[in-house]
């Protein structure tokens, strides 16, 4: 009995054009599978896969934006806003999906911006929708989306060899992921070598101390990986899973079969030092881009559903792990979904004809 099965879907209208990116969106009704989709014309569509409905939201107008290059889409927890950039773009924008209009234009500086993802994440705090975004290679800011007010105003630390500013951060910010309840921010950036370093810190501390993301007391350097902007996933309010090539010297011997550098998933608890669990014998990440002229990047992702952790990627078999036991439950070598729709509990593949295939995992 195969635990994955296809969910039958009606055809989508031809008017949506050729799609290049899809992203899960909160649905209007129970049982809906709602997506945001971008086409080659840089049009943003809202798709409802179960009914086959397609609604044009807006056209993306971002300097140097290329819908044929890897795209990043991040939505606010309530599904009202989306932030969009090219994965390696210098510019980004926020769109109000309720009123179908642009809300903010964003940019980061030009220093090595083409090596890591534009840092973007949304959090809700005390009724406000807050955007976390990169403004310089080593600086993040918080902005109130409704009012546009900056919440982390501070001077940019200056580096010189004689007197290094105490807040100067020698770190290139990358992909961001806020924890489910918005308590923590995780950052998958890099440092010179080059080497990926996953960092986390407290959002509430940051709102009180604008320097928290640089060198505040809550900042943790969780792990070094060979790659950066790799798959991370919050498996609970305080637990982060990190997938990458890990240095075995940094792990306890009983958590590691053989010496050397091996791909693994390591789980960290923000409320405790060290790590909580290691899932070993994980496939390596495929970092070779299909597109010409862009930097290598990990093409894989993770998602959680209850006690199950799903891992998948380009050329990586779809795997199901139990978090409580650390045991791999199932591997599927035939399906390579693009996204997991958390709310619907459905994997979605994007077909070459821009149709979508939906897969569910049976208990």
């Amino acid at each position: 009995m195969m635990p994955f099965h296809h969910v039958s879907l009606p055809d989508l209208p031809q008017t949506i054009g050729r799609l290049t990116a899809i992203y899960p969106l909160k649905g209007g009704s129970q049982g809906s599978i709602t997506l945001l989709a971008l086409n080659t014309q840089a049009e943003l569509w809202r798709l409802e896969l179960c009914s086959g409905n397609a609604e044009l939201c807006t056209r993306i107008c971002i300097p140097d934006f290329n819908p044929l290059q890897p795209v990043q889409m991040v939505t606010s927890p309530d599904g009202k806003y989306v932030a969009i950039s090219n994965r390696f773009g210098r510019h980004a924008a926020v769109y109000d999906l309720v009123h179908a209009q642009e809300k903010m234009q964003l940019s980061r500086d030009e220093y090595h911006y083409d090596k890591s993802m534009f840092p973007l994440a949304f959090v809700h705090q005390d009724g406000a929708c807050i955007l976390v975004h990169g403004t310089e290679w080593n600086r993040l800011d918080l902005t109130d989306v409704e009012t546009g007010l900056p919440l982390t105003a501070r001077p940019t630390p200056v580096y010189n060899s004689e007197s290094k500013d105490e807040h100067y951060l020698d770190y290139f910010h990358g992909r961001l992921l806020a924890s489910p309840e918005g308590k923590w921010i995780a950052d998958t950036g890099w440092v010179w070598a080059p080497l990926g370093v996953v960092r986390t810190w407290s959002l509430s501390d940051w709102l009180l101390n604008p320097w928290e993301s640089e060198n505040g007391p809550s900042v943790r350097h969780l792990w070094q990986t060979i790659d950066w902007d790799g798959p991370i996933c919050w498996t609970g309010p305080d637990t982060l899973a990190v997938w990458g090539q890990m240095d075995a010297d940094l792990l306890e011997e009983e958590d590691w079969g053989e010496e050397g550098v091996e791909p693994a998933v390591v789980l960290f608890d923000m409320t405790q030092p060290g790590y909580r669990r290691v899932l070993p014998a994980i496939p390596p990440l495929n970092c070779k881009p299909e597109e010409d002229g862009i930097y290598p990047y990990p093409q894989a992702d993770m998602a959680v559903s209850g006690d199950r952790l799903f891992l998948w990627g380009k050329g990586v078999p779809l795997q199901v792990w139990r978090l409580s036991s650390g045991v791999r439950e199932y591997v599927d070598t035939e399906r390579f979904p693009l996204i997991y729709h958390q709310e619907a509990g459905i994997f979605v593949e994007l077909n070459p004809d821009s149709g979508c295939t939906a897969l569910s995992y049976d208990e």
Side-chain angles (χ1 to χ4, degrees):
M1 176 83 175
M2 297 285 280
F4 283 100
H5 77 263
H6 282 277
V7 178
S8 62
L9 301 172
D11 289 340
L12 291 163
Q14 296 289 307
T15 45
I16 63 172
R18 186 162 79 80
L19 302 182
T20 61
I22 54 174
Y23 190 80
L25 189 64
K26 269 195 163 47
S29 60
Q30 201 174 5
S32 67
I33 309 171
T34 309
L35 304 180
L36 281 177
L38 185 80
N39 68 15
T40 54
Q41 307 302 305
E43 293 172 339
L44 189 66
W45 290 77
R46 184 196 301 264
L47 307 179
E48 214 307 296
L49 297 188
C50 294
S51 64
N53 285 344
E55 176 194 346
L56 179 60
C57 297
T58 187
R59 193 161 190 281
I60 305 304
C61 294
I62 298 171
D64 306 323
F65 183 76
N66 182 350
L68 300 176
Q69 297 279 25
V71 169
Q72 170 180 219
M73 286 193 250
V74 179
T75 53
S76 59
D78 60 4
K80 184 178 178 185
Y81 298 107
V82 62
I84 294 181
S85 74
N86 275 123
R87 184 182 184 111
F88 299 113
R90 189 180 164 189
H91 306 281
V94 174
Y95 294 91
D96 179 333
L97 294 170
V98 176
H99 301 102
Q101 64 189 29
E102 182 187 289
K103 191 77 177 169
M104 299 161 76
Q105 282 275 350
L106 310 162
S107 71
R108 52 176 170 170
D109 66 341
E110 58 189 337
Y111 189 51
H112 291 301
Y113 70 84
D114 57 348
K115 303 291 188 293
S116 59
M117 206 183 255
F118 195 121
L120 293 169
F122 288 97
V123 286
H124 281 173
Q125 190 83 353
D126 300 328
C129 182
I130 297 171
L131 178 72
V132 193
H133 57 109
T135 46
E136 296 176 42
W137 65 275
N138 62 347
R139 176 184 172 120
L140 299 173
D141 279 288
L142 296 173
T143 301
D144 185 310
V145 179
E146 288 290 339
T147 63
L149 287 173
L151 305 175
T152 44
R154 64 203 187 279
T156 292
V158 179
Y159 176 81
N160 65 55
S161 48
E162 287 86 53
S163 58
K164 193 170 164 185
D165 187 299
E166 62 167 323
H167 298 301
Y168 182 82
L169 181 65
D170 200 0
Y171 178 87
F172 293 82
H173 293 293
R175 179 190 179 200
L176 303 176
L177 196 63
S179 64
E181 295 173 8
K183 284 163 64 177
W184 310 100
I185 306 290
D187 189 354
T188 62
W190 63 282
V191 294
W192 281 111
L195 193 71
V197 177
V198 180
R199 301 165 80 246
T200 57
W201 63 94
S202 157
L203 175 70
S204 55
D205 289 9
W206 195 13
L207 286 164
L208 297 171
N209 166 29
W211 300 107
E212 192 68 28
S213 60
E214 275 88 12
N215 63 342
S218 71
V219 171
R220 278 179 70 182
H221 290 232
L222 293 186
W223 207 260
Q224 290 179 187
T225 68
I226 289 173
D227 309 300
W228 54 93
D229 284 343
I232 57 172
C233 173
W234 290 98
T235 63
D238 303 300
T239 309
L240 184 72
V242 180
W243 175 5
Q245 300 252 83
M246 307 299 187
D247 187 341
D249 293 343
L250 302 174
L251 290 167
E252 301 293 331
E253 241 174 76
E254 62 266 23
D255 285 328
W256 207 253
E258 299 168 24
E259 288 180 37
V261 177
E262 296 278 345
V265 170
V266 182
L267 286 100
F268 298 90
D269 188 328
M270 297 299 100
T271 64
Q272 295 169 2
Y275 60 91
R276 179 188 276 182
R277 184 186 285 281
V278 177
L279 308 180
I282 300 288
L285 296 166
N286 183 338
C287 294
K288 190 176 187 318
E290 287 178 358
E291 307 81 6
D292 288 336
I294 66 166
Y295 204 74
Y297 65 96
Q299 292 161 73
D301 214 343
M302 290 192 288
V304 71
S305 174
D307 188 40
R308 289 185 172 91
L309 181 69
F310 299 113
L311 295 84
W312 72 96
K314 186 180 156 195
V316 177
L318 178 54
Q319 307 195 15
V320 187
W321 288 75
R322 295 305 287 245
L323 288 165
S324 53
S325 62
V327 172
R328 183 165 44 201
E329 182 176 276
Y330 188 74
V331 178
D332 189 311
T333 55
E334 291 173 23
R335 293 170 178 82
F336 297 96
L338 191 58
I339 61 165
Y340 178 69
H341 197 300
Q342 192 88 41
E343 188 189 40
I346 294 285
F347 287 94
V348 183
E349 294 174 359
L350 180 57
N351 308 326
D353 65 356
S354 291
C356 291
T357 304
L359 300 163
S360 73
Y361 184 75
D362 294 336
E363 299 297 313

